[in-house]
Amino acid sequence: MSTILEVKGLKKYFIQKKTGFSWLKGGKPYQALYLRAVDNVNFDIKKGEALGLVGESGCGKTTTAKCIIRLIDPTDGQIIFKGEDIASLPKKELKRIRKHMQYVFQDPVGSLNPRMNVKNLLAEPLRNFGILKDKNEVEERVINLLETVGLSEEHMNKLPRELSGGMKQRVGIARAIAANPEFLILDEPTASLDVSVGAKILNELVDLQKRLNMTYLMIAHDLSVIRYVCNRVAVMYLGQIVETGDVEEIFSDPLHPYTEALLSAVPIPDPWVKIKRIDLKGETPSPINLPRGCRLQNRCPYVFSACTSDEPELVEVKNGHSVACHLKSKS
Amino acid sequence: MDRENKTLTVPKTKEHPLRKTWRSIDYSWYVLRKNNLTLAGFFMIVFLLFLVILSPVIVIYDPYETDSDNVLSPPSWRHLFGTDQWGRDIFSRTIVATQLDLFIALTTVLASASVGAIIGAVSGYFGGKVDLLMQRVTDILLAFPSLILAMGIMAALGASFWNLMLTQFVIRIAIFIRVARGEMISQKENEYVEAAVCSGNSTSRIIIRHLLPNCITPVAVMTTLNFGYAILVTATLSFIGLGLNPPTAEWGLMISDGASYLVLGAWWLSIPGAFIVLAVLGFNLLGDGIRDLAG
């Protein structure tokens, strides 16, 4: 299996200007603060694989994904897609890349233009990427796409507001797979849907991946979703990946304290099972003002001296299972 | 799970394309009917447009032909609204004036709305220096009360039809720029813009095909509300001698003429005045209705 995407040292810092009155005393007009949304993220995805990116809200999952498809320009790092570094490609050449890489948005309501009907929404990638020109061919392909995602010809002339949430998300997925991309980024595709509709969509995504031989990068904060769809998983905390490995490996033997806590928070649908909850005390530090050393130090139950001085690096401890923790990488 | 089960099927009915148009007309009529004031405004405008359409049939006198035997005559069967100080038929002149005033109002407002919407949209989309420059120009235009600005421009350029059209265009463009810019700034943050980028759209296509249709509602409301105001400005400028030139059949000019003969009767003044009221009231009521509908 060849590597389709490799992310090396990806960083995205947002500049936040803090203005004050210090310029009256001869100081700078503003102080530049860096919000480190994504800070040195490394991972790779092999062809045909599904990588899950998990983490709590605001940890930089979506920013990472949007950097990869270049909706956000990364501050630093390399994004090697099919052997080509796309991190610094000029805007004009991105169209060529996006033909092979598509994005399914989290919010199906906001990501569909309310004034365009389903047919036009789906015809856009087909026409823009120069796949089909002829009107009848486009229409045929649109019907085909709708049937692929479990809708039908009847929905072709509907506006987004005439569709339900699940149908909208299906249209979003259909739009993403319209140009036959090799790589699909799914940004919490089921987060805004209810459980039964979400489950249906997940089934279809698994099915689609097999049929069209696509590679997925799936973002989720729901671990059961990741377990169902993905082969490998990367756990993110405050802009960094703290643990990666095969799904079953991570679920059965989590190494990083954060992953442990995350897994212990998954509800088990059995009232008699006693869950050993690992509570992370305290607040997530602000990504503007990060502590020296490990980012989990103020919440970690196993914290020791090295945690407050050195930043842990992602080290492979078992076959394909890497963790960024002083405690676990030493032993 | 087999695939047949997962496909959501709806019974197939092929719809005639005209039927959709008919449904939207039907819906508009339903909304109009529920709101009496909007309906009244709608009928006032329809009445005026009806007169304009029928003008080749109902204008039997030449609006510029003088008749020295029949000067300042009150309404009669021969002259439905009477005649003015040169013996010209007021009915014919009013209908011809309706054509002219509606034409000026509709064309200038639509022109400034479309140009203003595009400028505002571009300004709002790109932001930064482009926006800063365009908005300062807009500030200058908005700093003057629009009637004063119109009088100033007309006084500088001289009274003529094309100058009046230009003035009407200029005094109104700033508000359309502002409205479109504001809407664009809020719309461009939507996720469908990012989705459009991913679908391989160019920036110009995103603005024209994706964003402008979503910014158009407040611009359309402003447009209808401005038709009445444009009619008023045309009439005011002509009344004070800065709009169209005297022989022209125009409501403001006719009122101006009639005002000199007010001691002899109010016919030559109140008829064009009533038409102005009808047109301005009609457009404003209709505009209010459309605003409520859109908001």
PDB file of all heavy atoms in Angstrom, chain A residues 66 98 102 105 110-111 113-115 124 128 148 150 153-154 175 207, chain B residues 3 6 8 12 191-192 194-195 197-201 205 210 213-214 217:
ATOM      1  N   LYS A  66      -8.840  21.436   7.324  1.00  0.00           N
ATOM      2  CA  LYS A  66      -8.979  22.538   6.365  1.00  0.00           C
ATOM      3  C   LYS A  66      -7.632  22.977   5.829  1.00  0.00           C
ATOM      4  O   LYS A  66      -7.539  23.494   4.712  1.00  0.00           O
ATOM      5  CB  LYS A  66      -9.735  23.704   7.004  1.00  0.00           C
ATOM      6  CG  LYS A  66     -11.218  23.381   7.119  1.00  0.00           C
ATOM      7  CD  LYS A  66     -12.072  24.559   7.480  1.00  0.00           C
ATOM      8  CE  LYS A  66     -13.541  24.162   7.410  1.00  0.00           C
ATOM      9  NZ  LYS A  66     -14.441  25.170   7.941  1.00  0.00           N
ATOM     10  N   ARG A  98      -7.808  19.591  -5.788  1.00  0.00           N
ATOM     11  CA  ARG A  98      -9.130  19.350  -5.204  1.00  0.00           C
ATOM     12  C   ARG A  98      -9.977  18.406  -6.042  1.00  0.00           C
ATOM     13  O   ARG A  98     -10.993  17.903  -5.575  1.00  0.00           O
ATOM     14  CB  ARG A  98      -9.855  20.683  -4.997  1.00  0.00           C
ATOM     15  CG  ARG A  98      -9.268  21.453  -3.837  1.00  0.00           C
ATOM     16  CD  ARG A  98      -9.960  22.741  -3.590  1.00  0.00           C
ATOM     17  NE  ARG A  98      -9.261  23.484  -2.540  1.00  0.00           N
ATOM     18  CZ  ARG A  98      -9.008  24.773  -2.585  1.00  0.00           C
ATOM     19  NH1 ARG A  98      -9.403  25.480  -3.609  1.00  0.00           N
ATOM     20  NH2 ARG A  98      -8.378  25.363  -1.599  1.00  0.00           N
ATOM     21  N   GLN A 102     -11.522  15.758  -1.648  1.00  0.00           N
ATOM     22  CA  GLN A 102     -12.768  16.483  -1.380  1.00  0.00           C
ATOM     23  C   GLN A 102     -13.101  16.508   0.098  1.00  0.00           C
ATOM     24  O   GLN A 102     -12.512  15.756   0.885  1.00  0.00           O
ATOM     25  CB  GLN A 102     -13.920  15.872  -2.170  1.00  0.00           C
ATOM     26  CG  GLN A 102     -13.940  16.291  -3.628  1.00  0.00           C
ATOM     27  CD  GLN A 102     -14.348  17.741  -3.812  1.00  0.00           C
ATOM     28  OE1 GLN A 102     -15.182  18.252  -3.082  1.00  0.00           O
ATOM     29  NE2 GLN A 102     -13.751  18.398  -4.780  1.00  0.00           N
ATOM     30  N   PHE A 105     -18.614  18.585   4.722  1.00  0.00           N
ATOM     31  CA  PHE A 105     -18.665  19.529   5.838  1.00  0.00           C
ATOM     32  C   PHE A 105     -19.519  19.012   6.985  1.00  0.00           C
ATOM     33  O   PHE A 105     -20.400  18.185   6.810  1.00  0.00           O
ATOM     34  CB  PHE A 105     -19.189  20.874   5.347  1.00  0.00           C
ATOM     35  CG  PHE A 105     -18.210  21.595   4.490  1.00  0.00           C
ATOM     36  CD1 PHE A 105     -18.145  21.335   3.132  1.00  0.00           C
ATOM     37  CD2 PHE A 105     -17.326  22.498   5.030  1.00  0.00           C
ATOM     38  CE1 PHE A 105     -17.215  21.973   2.330  1.00  0.00           C
ATOM     39  CE2 PHE A 105     -16.397  23.141   4.246  1.00  0.00           C
ATOM     40  CZ  PHE A 105     -16.350  22.883   2.892  1.00  0.00           C
ATOM     41  N   GLY A 110     -25.521  24.619   6.525  1.00  0.00           N
ATOM     42  CA  GLY A 110     -24.734  25.776   6.108  1.00  0.00           C
ATOM     43  C   GLY A 110     -23.870  25.524   4.893  1.00  0.00           C
ATOM     44  O   GLY A 110     -23.474  26.460   4.208  1.00  0.00           O
ATOM     45  N   SER A 111     -23.585  24.260   4.597  1.00  0.00           N
ATOM     46  CA  SER A 111     -22.627  24.011   3.525  1.00  0.00           C
ATOM     47  C   SER A 111     -23.286  23.828   2.165  1.00  0.00           C
ATOM     48  O   SER A 111     -22.597  23.622   1.178  1.00  0.00           O
ATOM     49  CB  SER A 111     -21.756  22.797   3.854  1.00  0.00           C
ATOM     50  OG  SER A 111     -22.552  21.656   3.954  1.00  0.00           O
ATOM     51  N   ASN A 113     -25.552  25.769  -0.627  1.00  0.00           N
ATOM     52  CA  ASN A 113     -26.072  27.085  -1.005  1.00  0.00           C
ATOM     53  C   ASN A 113     -27.608  27.051  -1.043  1.00  0.00           C
ATOM     54  O   ASN A 113     -28.193  26.301  -1.818  1.00  0.00           O
ATOM     55  CB  ASN A 113     -25.509  27.447  -2.378  1.00  0.00           C
ATOM     56  CG  ASN A 113     -25.855  28.847  -2.799  1.00  0.00           C
ATOM     57  OD1 ASN A 113     -26.791  29.439  -2.269  1.00  0.00           O
ATOM     58  ND2 ASN A 113     -25.122  29.384  -3.727  1.00  0.00           N
ATOM     59  N   PRO A 114     -28.277  27.858  -0.189  1.00  0.00           N
ATOM     60  CA  PRO A 114     -29.738  27.773  -0.096  1.00  0.00           C
ATOM     61  C   PRO A 114     -30.481  28.155  -1.380  1.00  0.00           C
ATOM     62  O   PRO A 114     -31.663  27.875  -1.512  1.00  0.00           O
ATOM     63  CB  PRO A 114     -30.077  28.746   1.032  1.00  0.00           C
ATOM     64  CG  PRO A 114     -28.901  29.621   1.182  1.00  0.00           C
ATOM     65  CD  PRO A 114     -27.721  28.827   0.760  1.00  0.00           C
ATOM     66  N   ARG A 115     -29.785  28.794  -2.318  1.00  0.00           N
ATOM     67  CA  ARG A 115     -30.457  29.226  -3.557  1.00  0.00           C
ATOM     68  C   ARG A 115     -30.182  28.301  -4.735  1.00  0.00           C
ATOM     69  O   ARG A 115     -30.524  28.630  -5.868  1.00  0.00           O
ATOM     70  CB  ARG A 115     -29.998  30.631  -3.932  1.00  0.00           C
ATOM     71  CG  ARG A 115     -30.304  31.657  -2.905  1.00  0.00           C
ATOM     72  CD  ARG A 115     -31.567  32.360  -3.264  1.00  0.00           C
ATOM     73  NE  ARG A 115     -32.015  33.149  -2.132  1.00  0.00           N
ATOM     74  CZ  ARG A 115     -32.900  34.119  -2.218  1.00  0.00           C
ATOM     75  NH1 ARG A 115     -33.429  34.409  -3.374  1.00  0.00           N
ATOM     76  NH2 ARG A 115     -33.276  34.769  -1.165  1.00  0.00           N
ATOM     77  N   GLU A 124     -21.947  21.174 -10.216  1.00  0.00           N
ATOM     78  CA  GLU A 124     -20.808  22.099 -10.112  1.00  0.00           C
ATOM     79  C   GLU A 124     -19.436  21.429 -10.196  1.00  0.00           C
ATOM     80  O   GLU A 124     -18.639  21.804 -11.049  1.00  0.00           O
ATOM     81  CB  GLU A 124     -20.917  22.865  -8.797  1.00  0.00           C
ATOM     82  CG  GLU A 124     -21.902  23.984  -8.860  1.00  0.00           C
ATOM     83  CD  GLU A 124     -21.314  25.227  -8.268  1.00  0.00           C
ATOM     84  OE1 GLU A 124     -20.960  25.168  -7.083  1.00  0.00           O
ATOM     85  OE2 GLU A 124     -21.199  26.224  -8.964  1.00  0.00           O
ATOM     86  N   ASN A 128     -16.889  22.087 -13.220  1.00  0.00           N
ATOM     87  CA  ASN A 128     -15.676  22.848 -12.895  1.00  0.00           C
ATOM     88  C   ASN A 128     -14.408  22.042 -13.079  1.00  0.00           C
ATOM     89  O   ASN A 128     -13.378  22.586 -13.468  1.00  0.00           O
ATOM     90  CB  ASN A 128     -15.743  23.360 -11.458  1.00  0.00           C
ATOM     91  CG  ASN A 128     -16.759  24.465 -11.306  1.00  0.00           C
ATOM     92  OD1 ASN A 128     -17.073  25.164 -12.267  1.00  0.00           O
ATOM     93  ND2 ASN A 128     -17.284  24.622 -10.122  1.00  0.00           N
ATOM     94  N   THR A 148     -26.475   6.651  -5.626  1.00  0.00           N
ATOM     95  CA  THR A 148     -25.343   6.114  -4.854  1.00  0.00           C
ATOM     96  C   THR A 148     -25.467   6.446  -3.371  1.00  0.00           C
ATOM     97  O   THR A 148     -25.132   5.635  -2.521  1.00  0.00           O
ATOM     98  CB  THR A 148     -24.026   6.701  -5.393  1.00  0.00           C
ATOM     99  OG1 THR A 148     -23.989   6.514  -6.793  1.00  0.00           O
ATOM    100  CG2 THR A 148     -22.831   6.036  -4.768  1.00  0.00           C
ATOM    101  N   GLY A 150     -28.247   7.074  -1.799  1.00  0.00           N
ATOM    102  CA  GLY A 150     -29.537   6.692  -1.238  1.00  0.00           C
ATOM    103  C   GLY A 150     -30.641   7.716  -1.420  1.00  0.00           C
ATOM    104  O   GLY A 150     -31.623   7.704  -0.695  1.00  0.00           O
ATOM    105  N   GLU A 153     -34.024  10.345  -8.134  1.00  0.00           N
ATOM    106  CA  GLU A 153     -34.174  11.374  -9.160  1.00  0.00           C
ATOM    107  C   GLU A 153     -35.125  12.487  -8.703  1.00  0.00           C
ATOM    108  O   GLU A 153     -34.987  13.635  -9.105  1.00  0.00           O
ATOM    109  CB  GLU A 153     -34.698  10.698 -10.425  1.00  0.00           C
ATOM    110  CG  GLU A 153     -34.591  11.536 -11.664  1.00  0.00           C
ATOM    111  CD  GLU A 153     -35.228  10.839 -12.858  1.00  0.00           C
ATOM    112  OE1 GLU A 153     -35.317   9.603 -12.843  1.00  0.00           O
ATOM    113  OE2 GLU A 153     -35.626  11.552 -13.788  1.00  0.00           O
ATOM    114  N   GLU A 154     -36.093  12.120  -7.871  1.00  0.00           N
ATOM    115  CA  GLU A 154     -37.090  13.091  -7.422  1.00  0.00           C
ATOM    116  C   GLU A 154     -36.480  14.274  -6.682  1.00  0.00           C
ATOM    117  O   GLU A 154     -37.056  15.348  -6.649  1.00  0.00           O
ATOM    118  CB  GLU A 154     -38.098  12.404  -6.496  1.00  0.00           C
ATOM    119  CG  GLU A 154     -39.021  11.436  -7.177  1.00  0.00           C
ATOM    120  CD  GLU A 154     -39.808  12.087  -8.292  1.00  0.00           C
ATOM    121  OE1 GLU A 154     -40.334  13.196  -8.075  1.00  0.00           O
ATOM    122  OE2 GLU A 154     -39.872  11.506  -9.380  1.00  0.00           O
ATOM    123  N   ARG A 175     -21.966  15.439  -3.418  1.00  0.00           N
ATOM    124  CA  ARG A 175     -21.170  16.491  -4.048  1.00  0.00           C
ATOM    125  C   ARG A 175     -19.682  16.188  -3.914  1.00  0.00           C
ATOM    126  O   ARG A 175     -18.905  16.407  -4.842  1.00  0.00           O
ATOM    127  CB  ARG A 175     -21.499  17.834  -3.407  1.00  0.00           C
ATOM    128  CG  ARG A 175     -20.611  18.953  -3.920  1.00  0.00           C
ATOM    129  CD  ARG A 175     -21.063  20.275  -3.429  1.00  0.00           C
ATOM    130  NE  ARG A 175     -21.027  20.333  -1.963  1.00  0.00           N
ATOM    131  CZ  ARG A 175     -21.426  21.374  -1.270  1.00  0.00           C
ATOM    132  NH1 ARG A 175     -21.906  22.422  -1.871  1.00  0.00           N
ATOM    133  NH2 ARG A 175     -21.359  21.370   0.047  1.00  0.00           N
ATOM    134  N   ASP A 207     -19.677   1.530   3.097  1.00  0.00           N
ATOM    135  CA  ASP A 207     -20.005   0.873   1.846  1.00  0.00           C
ATOM    136  C   ASP A 207     -19.331   1.572   0.654  1.00  0.00           C
ATOM    137  O   ASP A 207     -18.721   0.932  -0.207  1.00  0.00           O
ATOM    138  CB  ASP A 207     -21.534   0.919   1.717  1.00  0.00           C
ATOM    139  CG  ASP A 207     -22.025   0.033   0.618  1.00  0.00           C
ATOM    140  OD1 ASP A 207     -21.430  -1.038   0.439  1.00  0.00           O
ATOM    141  OD2 ASP A 207     -22.987   0.418  -0.070  1.00  0.00           O
TER     142      ASP A 207
ATOM    143  N   ARG B   3     -29.587  -2.725  -0.873  1.00  0.00           N
ATOM    144  CA  ARG B   3     -29.639  -1.320  -1.263  1.00  0.00           C
ATOM    145  C   ARG B   3     -31.055  -0.814  -1.520  1.00  0.00           C
ATOM    146  O   ARG B   3     -31.327   0.357  -1.345  1.00  0.00           O
ATOM    147  CB  ARG B   3     -28.775  -1.083  -2.497  1.00  0.00           C
ATOM    148  CG  ARG B   3     -27.303  -1.220  -2.209  1.00  0.00           C
ATOM    149  CD  ARG B   3     -26.499  -0.342  -3.137  1.00  0.00           C
ATOM    150  NE  ARG B   3     -26.845   1.062  -2.984  1.00  0.00           N
ATOM    151  CZ  ARG B   3     -26.398   1.824  -2.002  1.00  0.00           C
ATOM    152  NH1 ARG B   3     -25.628   1.347  -1.080  1.00  0.00           N
ATOM    153  NH2 ARG B   3     -26.730   3.103  -1.948  1.00  0.00           N
ATOM    154  N   LYS B   6     -32.612   1.008   1.296  1.00  0.00           N
ATOM    155  CA  LYS B   6     -32.043   2.270   1.737  1.00  0.00           C
ATOM    156  C   LYS B   6     -32.445   3.437   0.845  1.00  0.00           C
ATOM    157  O   LYS B   6     -32.345   4.579   1.250  1.00  0.00           O
ATOM    158  CB  LYS B   6     -30.525   2.163   1.784  1.00  0.00           C
ATOM    159  CG  LYS B   6     -30.073   1.391   3.016  1.00  0.00           C
ATOM    160  CD  LYS B   6     -28.606   1.557   3.255  1.00  0.00           C
ATOM    161  CE  LYS B   6     -27.821   0.522   2.497  1.00  0.00           C
ATOM    162  NZ  LYS B   6     -26.395   0.671   2.711  1.00  0.00           N
ATOM    163  N   LEU B   8     -34.630   6.094  -0.622  1.00  0.00           N
ATOM    164  CA  LEU B   8     -35.894   6.723  -0.260  1.00  0.00           C
ATOM    165  C   LEU B   8     -36.658   6.999  -1.540  1.00  0.00           C
ATOM    166  O   LEU B   8     -36.239   7.812  -2.351  1.00  0.00           O
ATOM    167  CB  LEU B   8     -35.629   8.037   0.469  1.00  0.00           C
ATOM    168  CG  LEU B   8     -34.644   7.967   1.627  1.00  0.00           C
ATOM    169  CD1 LEU B   8     -34.209   9.353   2.023  1.00  0.00           C
ATOM    170  CD2 LEU B   8     -35.289   7.267   2.796  1.00  0.00           C
ATOM    171  N   LYS B  12     -43.270   8.860  -8.602  1.00  0.00           N
ATOM    172  CA  LYS B  12     -42.785   9.727  -9.675  1.00  0.00           C
ATOM    173  C   LYS B  12     -43.916  10.517 -10.322  1.00  0.00           C
ATOM    174  O   LYS B  12     -44.924   9.950 -10.732  1.00  0.00           O
ATOM    175  CB  LYS B  12     -42.078   8.887 -10.741  1.00  0.00           C
ATOM    176  CG  LYS B  12     -40.700   8.469 -10.321  1.00  0.00           C
ATOM    177  CD  LYS B  12     -39.898   7.983 -11.495  1.00  0.00           C
ATOM    178  CE  LYS B  12     -38.488   7.669 -11.039  1.00  0.00           C
ATOM    179  NZ  LYS B  12     -37.619   7.251 -12.101  1.00  0.00           N
ATOM    180  N   GLU B 191     -20.565  28.537   5.334  1.00  0.00           N
ATOM    181  CA  GLU B 191     -19.760  27.393   4.932  1.00  0.00           C
ATOM    182  C   GLU B 191     -19.977  27.036   3.456  1.00  0.00           C
ATOM    183  O   GLU B 191     -19.113  26.423   2.847  1.00  0.00           O
ATOM    184  CB  GLU B 191     -20.088  26.197   5.819  1.00  0.00           C
ATOM    185  CG  GLU B 191     -18.860  25.393   6.172  1.00  0.00           C
ATOM    186  CD  GLU B 191     -19.108  24.397   7.279  1.00  0.00           C
ATOM    187  OE1 GLU B 191     -20.239  23.919   7.402  1.00  0.00           O
ATOM    188  OE2 GLU B 191     -18.160  24.098   8.018  1.00  0.00           O
ATOM    189  N   TYR B 192     -21.105  27.439   2.876  1.00  0.00           N
ATOM    190  CA  TYR B 192     -21.312  27.076   1.476  1.00  0.00           C
ATOM    191  C   TYR B 192     -20.295  27.746   0.563  1.00  0.00           C
ATOM    192  O   TYR B 192     -20.074  27.285  -0.559  1.00  0.00           O
ATOM    193  CB  TYR B 192     -22.755  27.339   1.020  1.00  0.00           C
ATOM    194  CG  TYR B 192     -23.189  28.772   0.928  1.00  0.00           C
ATOM    195  CD1 TYR B 192     -22.814  29.564  -0.151  1.00  0.00           C
ATOM    196  CD2 TYR B 192     -24.019  29.334   1.888  1.00  0.00           C
ATOM    197  CE1 TYR B 192     -23.228  30.864  -0.251  1.00  0.00           C
ATOM    198  CE2 TYR B 192     -24.452  30.630   1.792  1.00  0.00           C
ATOM    199  CZ  TYR B 192     -24.050  31.406   0.726  1.00  0.00           C
ATOM    200  OH  TYR B 192     -24.461  32.688   0.628  1.00  0.00           O
ATOM    201  N   GLU B 194     -17.026  28.022   1.366  1.00  0.00           N
ATOM    202  CA  GLU B 194     -15.901  27.081   1.413  1.00  0.00           C
ATOM    203  C   GLU B 194     -16.210  25.842   0.576  1.00  0.00           C
ATOM    204  O   GLU B 194     -15.338  25.321  -0.120  1.00  0.00           O
ATOM    205  CB  GLU B 194     -15.626  26.660   2.860  1.00  0.00           C
ATOM    206  CG  GLU B 194     -14.931  27.742   3.661  1.00  0.00           C
ATOM    207  CD  GLU B 194     -14.499  27.263   5.032  1.00  0.00           C
ATOM    208  OE1 GLU B 194     -15.122  26.317   5.547  1.00  0.00           O
ATOM    209  OE2 GLU B 194     -13.546  27.842   5.573  1.00  0.00           O
ATOM    210  N   ALA B 195     -17.469  25.396   0.654  1.00  0.00           N
ATOM    211  CA  ALA B 195     -17.862  24.234  -0.136  1.00  0.00           C
ATOM    212  C   ALA B 195     -17.727  24.542  -1.621  1.00  0.00           C
ATOM    213  O   ALA B 195     -17.287  23.696  -2.406  1.00  0.00           O
ATOM    214  CB  ALA B 195     -19.293  23.842   0.198  1.00  0.00           C
ATOM    215  N   VAL B 197     -15.624  26.640  -2.944  1.00  0.00           N
ATOM    216  CA  VAL B 197     -14.188  26.631  -3.243  1.00  0.00           C
ATOM    217  C   VAL B 197     -13.736  25.194  -3.503  1.00  0.00           C
ATOM    218  O   VAL B 197     -13.031  24.910  -4.466  1.00  0.00           O
ATOM    219  CB  VAL B 197     -13.383  27.252  -2.075  1.00  0.00           C
ATOM    220  CG1 VAL B 197     -11.887  27.077  -2.313  1.00  0.00           C
ATOM    221  CG2 VAL B 197     -13.697  28.722  -1.942  1.00  0.00           C
ATOM    222  N   CYS B 198     -14.188  24.271  -2.636  1.00  0.00           N
ATOM    223  CA  CYS B 198     -13.804  22.869  -2.799  1.00  0.00           C
ATOM    224  C   CYS B 198     -14.325  22.288  -4.106  1.00  0.00           C
ATOM    225  O   CYS B 198     -13.716  21.400  -4.685  1.00  0.00           O
ATOM    226  CB  CYS B 198     -14.344  22.036  -1.650  1.00  0.00           C
ATOM    227  SG  CYS B 198     -13.437  22.279  -0.141  1.00  0.00           S
ATOM    228  N   SER B 199     -15.473  22.784  -4.583  1.00  0.00           N
ATOM    229  CA  SER B 199     -16.033  22.273  -5.835  1.00  0.00           C
ATOM    230  C   SER B 199     -15.341  22.872  -7.052  1.00  0.00           C
ATOM    231  O   SER B 199     -15.799  22.693  -8.171  1.00  0.00           O
ATOM    232  CB  SER B 199     -17.527  22.565  -5.923  1.00  0.00           C
ATOM    233  OG  SER B 199     -18.197  21.957  -4.859  1.00  0.00           O
ATOM    234  N   GLY B 200     -14.282  23.624  -6.831  1.00  0.00           N
ATOM    235  CA  GLY B 200     -13.485  24.113  -7.938  1.00  0.00           C
ATOM    236  C   GLY B 200     -13.982  25.390  -8.595  1.00  0.00           C
ATOM    237  O   GLY B 200     -13.663  25.648  -9.750  1.00  0.00           O
ATOM    238  N   ASN B 201     -14.767  26.200  -7.871  1.00  0.00           N
ATOM    239  CA  ASN B 201     -15.261  27.442  -8.452  1.00  0.00           C
ATOM    240  C   ASN B 201     -14.205  28.535  -8.377  1.00  0.00           C
ATOM    241  O   ASN B 201     -13.425  28.597  -7.421  1.00  0.00           O
ATOM    242  CB  ASN B 201     -16.497  27.918  -7.687  1.00  0.00           C
ATOM    243  CG  ASN B 201     -17.691  27.056  -7.970  1.00  0.00           C
ATOM    244  OD1 ASN B 201     -18.232  27.065  -9.053  1.00  0.00           O
ATOM    245  ND2 ASN B 201     -18.091  26.283  -6.983  1.00  0.00           N
ATOM    246  N   ARG B 205     -16.844  33.435 -10.012  1.00  0.00           N
ATOM    247  CA  ARG B 205     -18.035  32.596 -10.060  1.00  0.00           C
ATOM    248  C   ARG B 205     -18.680  32.457  -8.677  1.00  0.00           C
ATOM    249  O   ARG B 205     -19.894  32.416  -8.556  1.00  0.00           O
ATOM    250  CB  ARG B 205     -17.684  31.213 -10.615  1.00  0.00           C
ATOM    251  CG  ARG B 205     -18.883  30.513 -11.221  1.00  0.00           C
ATOM    252  CD  ARG B 205     -18.493  29.157 -11.764  1.00  0.00           C
ATOM    253  NE  ARG B 205     -19.485  28.183 -11.343  1.00  0.00           N
ATOM    254  CZ  ARG B 205     -20.596  27.903 -12.008  1.00  0.00           C
ATOM    255  NH1 ARG B 205     -20.861  28.528 -13.134  1.00  0.00           N
ATOM    256  NH2 ARG B 205     -21.448  27.021 -11.557  1.00  0.00           N
ATOM    257  N   HIS B 210     -22.816  32.252  -6.474  1.00  0.00           N
ATOM    258  CA  HIS B 210     -23.160  31.749  -5.147  1.00  0.00           C
ATOM    259  C   HIS B 210     -23.565  32.844  -4.177  1.00  0.00           C
ATOM    260  O   HIS B 210     -24.541  32.709  -3.453  1.00  0.00           O
ATOM    261  CB  HIS B 210     -21.989  30.973  -4.552  1.00  0.00           C
ATOM    262  CG  HIS B 210     -21.744  29.669  -5.242  1.00  0.00           C
ATOM    263  ND1 HIS B 210     -22.204  28.487  -4.759  1.00  0.00           N
ATOM    264  CD2 HIS B 210     -21.116  29.379  -6.397  1.00  0.00           C
ATOM    265  CE1 HIS B 210     -21.861  27.513  -5.587  1.00  0.00           C
ATOM    266  NE2 HIS B 210     -21.203  28.033  -6.590  1.00  0.00           N
ATOM    267  N   PRO B 213     -26.819  35.860  -5.399  1.00  0.00           N
ATOM    268  CA  PRO B 213     -28.226  35.457  -5.223  1.00  0.00           C
ATOM    269  C   PRO B 213     -28.657  35.435  -3.757  1.00  0.00           C
ATOM    270  O   PRO B 213     -29.829  35.636  -3.457  1.00  0.00           O
ATOM    271  CB  PRO B 213     -28.275  34.041  -5.816  1.00  0.00           C
ATOM    272  CG  PRO B 213     -27.137  33.981  -6.751  1.00  0.00           C
ATOM    273  CD  PRO B 213     -26.080  34.849  -6.167  1.00  0.00           C
ATOM    274  N   ASN B 214     -27.710  35.211  -2.849  1.00  0.00           N
ATOM    275  CA  ASN B 214     -28.056  35.197  -1.433  1.00  0.00           C
ATOM    276  C   ASN B 214     -28.056  36.588  -0.806  1.00  0.00           C
ATOM    277  O   ASN B 214     -28.518  36.758   0.312  1.00  0.00           O
ATOM    278  CB  ASN B 214     -27.086  34.297  -0.674  1.00  0.00           C
ATOM    279  CG  ASN B 214     -27.381  32.839  -0.924  1.00  0.00           C
ATOM    280  OD1 ASN B 214     -28.448  32.363  -0.601  1.00  0.00           O
ATOM    281  ND2 ASN B 214     -26.449  32.157  -1.549  1.00  0.00           N
ATOM    282  N   THR B 217     -31.959  39.698  -1.514  1.00  0.00           N
ATOM    283  CA  THR B 217     -33.228  40.013  -0.859  1.00  0.00           C
ATOM    284  C   THR B 217     -33.289  41.436  -0.295  1.00  0.00           C
ATOM    285  O   THR B 217     -34.200  42.179  -0.651  1.00  0.00           O
ATOM    286  CB  THR B 217     -33.539  38.975   0.228  1.00  0.00           C
ATOM    287  OG1 THR B 217     -33.316  37.684  -0.308  1.00  0.00           O
ATOM    288  CG2 THR B 217     -34.944  39.109   0.722  1.00  0.00           C
TER     289      THR B 217
END
